[in-house]
Amino acid sequence: MKESFLPKPLLFKEWKEHRWWILSAFLLMLYGPFSHLLTFVQQSRTGNSQAFILWNFLAPIVYKLQYSPAASGHPVSNAVISGDVAVSYFAPVVAMGLTIVLVSADRNKGSLWFTLSFPITRSSLLRVKLLLSATIVLTAFLLNFLLLAIVDHASGNPITFIALLEWLGKNLLISGVFMATGLACAAVIQAGLLTAFSAILITAFPWALGLSVVRSVPVSIGLSMHPSTHPGHAVSHGHLTTAQHLSTILRGLSPTSYFSPDVGFGGSFQNDKLILSVSAGHSMNFAVVIWFLFLTALFAFIGFRAYLAAPGENYSRWIQLEQIQPWYYFSLIGAGSFLIINAMTASNTHLSHTPYVLTLYWFILWAGFSLLAAWLQKYLQSRFSPS
């Protein structure tokens, strides 16, 4: 008999075993918008209520900033907002964590052999896990989007519907990259925390490479508030050098470059205009969207193939696929070398702004540590291996 695409027993098993992880991830992804809504409901509605909704609910979610009203009160409610929509760093990381838990929990608990003893295939098991994870993430983002749209309408539509759709699309795209990377890492790495750490290192590598070329590059955007008779605008940063352009491009290849912090910067009225700076990272153009879709497909393919090829039960080493183990250790040495170089040059202002020098130091230290590790491994093998 042909196997079902989504076997109901597998769905029930995944829900029964991992329901607390699933519910926790779902609530964490909804925490930000609903906590802002709860704060808005609990606070007294003084001054302009529409502006109060704008600054206490919409702006903290879409642009990840919090504005403390000046003595003159809230900005006018008939204002428009412009600037790149920020991506929440919290939800994509939670989505990645949920994927890692669902994919690796059976193996880490030693129960994978029992599951596979039934007439099911590994591909069916992985398909159920991934679809369950994707459904939870998509549902949470759609609820966030619905809540945003309702409150935006109640406050007089200060943020366009296209901007809200852009917020949803960017967050789903970045979450997809993180989930695919988490899948690839969870398929080959035994320990859960090490899997998450490795996935973050992989996604952040282009950002680290760009940072090592030029440490300080102005990528933040400006968020402007104007009366409705004046269009909003983003603050420009002028001409960039060749090295800064290269650094910006490399950082833009990393999904972590599009995260935005929760803390923002408030300003005061000057000439009927309020300008706030929000670290929304890079602007996401069509080429970046294609790049992230490619990364998602690539890591999903690697994860799927690795999950099918990895041993069912293997506690002798952290890395399931032996051929990947040397490359994994090599990448950890690279991450350590990057942290060391940045720590050694943190107080050197001249060196921090010298193009390509930090990258050169990084690779020299990377190569040196790698050669030392390889020599030490050979020495220990020859010293302690039985004759």
Side-chain angles (χ1 to χ4, degrees):
M1 184 174 66
K2 185 178 180 181
E3 187 180 26
S4 172
F5 182 76
L6 286 177
K8 292 182 179 179
L10 277 182
L11 283 173
F12 177 77
K13 167 192 170 299
E14 289 300 313
W15 168 254
K16 190 71 175 177
E17 289 189 2
H18 309 304
R19 61 186 182 276
W20 296 117
W21 285 104
I22 294 172
L23 289 174
S24 297
F26 184 71
L27 292 177
L28 283 174
M29 295 184 70
L30 294 177
Y31 168 76
F34 281 90
S35 65
H36 286 304
L37 179 62
L38 184 62
T39 301
F40 162 70
V41 172
Q42 290 177 342
Q43 291 178 352
S44 60
R45 300 188 180 186
T46 58
N48 191 312
S49 61
Q50 290 184 344
F52 197 86
I53 294 175
L54 170 67
W55 286 108
N56 288 271
F57 186 82
L58 290 175
I61 295 174
V62 177
Y63 294 100
K64 289 308 224 180
L65 65 92
Q66 185 68 54
Y67 173 69
S68 298
S72 56
H74 294 284
V76 291
S77 61
N78 61 345
V80 293
I81 298 180
S82 68
D84 284 343
V85 178
V87 175
S88 168
Y89 70 87
F90 191 66
V93 173
V94 172
M96 179 194 72
L98 177 61
T99 303
I100 291 175
V101 167
L102 294 181
V103 172
S104 62
D106 293 342
R107 185 185 63 216
N108 293 336
K109 291 191 302 182
S111 61
L112 184 60
W113 67 270
F114 179 78
T115 303
L116 296 178
S117 65
F118 291 92
I120 59 174
T121 62
R122 256 197 212 200
S123 59
S124 297
L125 179 60
L126 182 60
R127 183 166 58 244
V128 169
K129 291 175 179 292
L130 294 181
L131 287 178
L132 183 59
S133 177
T135 301
I136 295 300
V137 172
L138 180 61
T139 303
F141 271 120
L142 288 177
L143 285 177
N144 287 340
F145 174 78
L146 180 62
L147 188 59
L148 272 174
I150 292 174
V151 178
D152 183 52
H153 177 73
S155 59
N157 300 109
I159 300 178
T160 64
F161 188 72
I162 297 299
L164 296 182
L165 284 175
E166 184 183 351
W167 175 88
L168 176 64
K170 285 185 176 182
N171 278 277
L172 287 176
L173 181 60
I174 299 297
S175 298
V177 178
F178 269 84
M179 292 172 69
T181 310
L183 165 63
C185 292
V188 298
I189 300 175
Q190 183 79 17
L193 289 177
L194 190 60
T195 301
F197 177 72
S198 303
I200 293 177
L201 282 182
I202 290 174
T203 54
F205 176 75
W207 170 84
L209 190 60
L211 184 65
S212 67
V213 174
V214 178
R215 181 169 290 161
S216 300
V217 176
V219 295
S220 299
I221 64 166
L223 182 63
S224 301
M225 287 293 300
H226 293 267
S228 58
T229 55
H230 303 283
H233 68 280
V235 177
S236 61
H237 292 284
H239 179 69
L240 296 180
T241 65
T242 302
Q244 288 176 328
H245 272 299
L246 177 61
S247 178
T248 303
I249 291 173
L250 288 173
R251 297 186 200 195
L253 297 178
S254 170
T256 58
S257 296
Y258 300 86
F259 287 165
S260 175
D262 289 322
V263 180
F265 306 94
S268 59
F269 286 105
Q270 293 180 357
N271 300 324
D272 296 328
K273 181 178 66 174
L274 176 64
I275 298 181
L276 302 175
S277 176
V278 51
S279 299
H282 298 65
S283 59
M284 193 179 297
N285 54 31
F286 180 75
V288 172
V289 172
I290 297 299
W291 165 251
F292 285 151
L293 290 175
F294 168 76
L295 285 184
T296 303
L298 175 64
F299 285 123
F301 174 77
I302 293 175
F304 192 86
R305 295 297 298 269
Y307 187 83
L308 299 182
E313 305 289 347
N314 188 356
Y315 300 101
S316 61
R317 57 176 181 266
W318 281 352
I319 308 300
Q320 300 297 296
L321 302 179
E322 190 172 0
Q323 61 271 29
I324 298 179
Q325 187 166 323
W327 295 102
Y328 178 73
Y329 293 148
F330 178 73
S331 66
L332 288 184
I333 293 174
S337 302
F338 176 77
L339 294 177
I340 292 174
I341 288 296
N342 274 273
M344 292 175 59
T345 60
S347 59
N348 192 323
T349 306
H350 176 72
L351 183 62
S352 300
H353 293 82
T354 303
Y356 317 112
V357 174
L358 290 173
T359 307
L360 179 62
Y361 286 173
W362 179 15
F363 282 114
I364 289 176
L365 193 62
W366 198 343
F369 279 145
S370 299
L371 291 174
L372 180 62
W375 174 83
L376 184 62
Q377 182 182 19
K378 292 291 184 182
Y379 172 77
L380 293 177
Q381 287 178 349
S382 61
R383 183 73 172 79
F384 298 103
S385 61
S387 55

